[in-house]
Amino acid sequence: MMKLYYHKGACSLAAHIVLAWIGAPYELSEVTFGDPAYLKINPAGAVPALDTGEGWILTQDAAILRYLARRFPQAGLGGDGSLRAEAEIDRWSCFITGDLHPAFFPLFSPKRYTTARDDAALAAVKSAAQELVRKRFALLQDHLKGRSFFLGDKRSILDAYVFPMQRWAGSMLPEGLSPWPDVKAHHDRTAADAMVQRALAEEGA
């Protein structure tokens, strides 16, 4: 059986949602960052990590999502199999991994991005990060306009991948998702999904 190592509220929620969508049996193990026992599983200390149930462990969210889509093609979460769909999944996975997700890092840990420790300096770091997050969400808005899902009219791993970051923006930006109506609609549609609600309940989120 597969086992997902996750942290409540983290991007590991994406892999949790995909596991729920697939419908195959899985176990969950909540981890604490910096826990020596978890560092033996994933020396990078990040979540998620997936015990594939095949004698090896896979890390990195985007890689886990792609692996699950390929291992369980019957779930239809990897696009239509066309070269273009594959490219779109790769493009947006790279965007979420490399551009959107890191934009939030200074909001979570502003002390990593300045040697100053006064409140004004830390507030400035957070303010700059919020502006960067807004730029990233403007790109998402342009893409999702007129679309129900990232790849058109059918859900994919991308819809799960972006969902945790939509939740972060909803709570960490003063305006929430209101400036990006199609992003908000996408979030709300995902949040209403029964399996997404199951994953959130399982994490106590």
Side-chain angles (χ1 to χ4, degrees):
M1 183 182 296
M2 295 179 290
K3 178 187 285 189
L4 179 70
Y5 295 89
Y6 77 97
H7 183 82
K8 180 180 176 181
C11 63
S12 48
L13 175 61
H16 191 170
I17 289 171
V18 168
L19 285 168
W21 280 346
I22 287 168
Y26 62 87
E27 298 178 5
L28 296 171
S29 179
E30 186 172 7
V31 303
T32 301
F33 293 126
D35 181 354
Y38 182 60
L39 290 173
K40 292 180 180 179
I41 295 168
N42 181 8
V47 291
L50 180 72
D51 184 332
T52 65
E54 300 175 323
W56 60 287
I57 291 175
L58 180 63
T59 62
Q60 297 294 331
D61 218 354
I64 290 170
L65 297 178
R66 290 292 268 155
Y67 166 78
L68 290 172
R70 289 166 175 151
R71 179 173 171 179
F72 300 95
Q74 67 275 14
L77 298 174
D80 61 11
S82 68
L83 184 60
R84 178 168 181 173
E86 291 286 323
E88 287 293 324
I89 288 177
D90 289 341
R91 172 166 75 116
W92 287 106
S93 291
C94 289
F95 171 80
I96 295 169
T97 300
D99 295 312
L100 181 59
H101 191 179
F104 284 93
F105 293 166
L107 292 175
F108 289 119
S109 302
K111 290 181 179 179
R112 293 182 180 180
Y113 296 88
T114 177
T115 57
R117 289 296 178 261
D118 59 284
D119 291 343
L122 297 178
V125 170
K126 288 186 176 182
S127 179
Q130 287 175 335
E131 284 304 307
L132 184 56
V133 168
R134 291 181 181 111
K135 291 179 181 178
R136 302 299 186 238
F137 271 86
L139 296 174
L140 288 179
Q141 170 63 27
D142 288 343
H143 177 71
L144 288 172
K145 189 171 183 179
R147 290 183 169 93
S148 297
F149 304 101
F150 258 87
L151 295 182
D153 60 356
K154 189 175 182 181
R155 72 186 181 191
S156 70
I157 56 174
L158 296 172
D159 301 294
Y161 198 6
V162 78
F163 182 66
M165 280 136 259
Q166 291 173 333
R167 298 182 80 226
W168 298 343
S171 64
M172 302 184 83
L173 295 180
E175 68 275 27
L177 293 174
S178 59
W180 310 286
D182 292 278
V183 173
K184 186 178 187 304
H186 180 273
H187 166 273
D188 294 348
R189 189 179 302 111
T190 305
D193 181 272
M195 291 296 100
V196 173
Q197 292 180 9
R198 169 185 163 181
L200 290 169
E202 288 176 341
E203 295 192 11

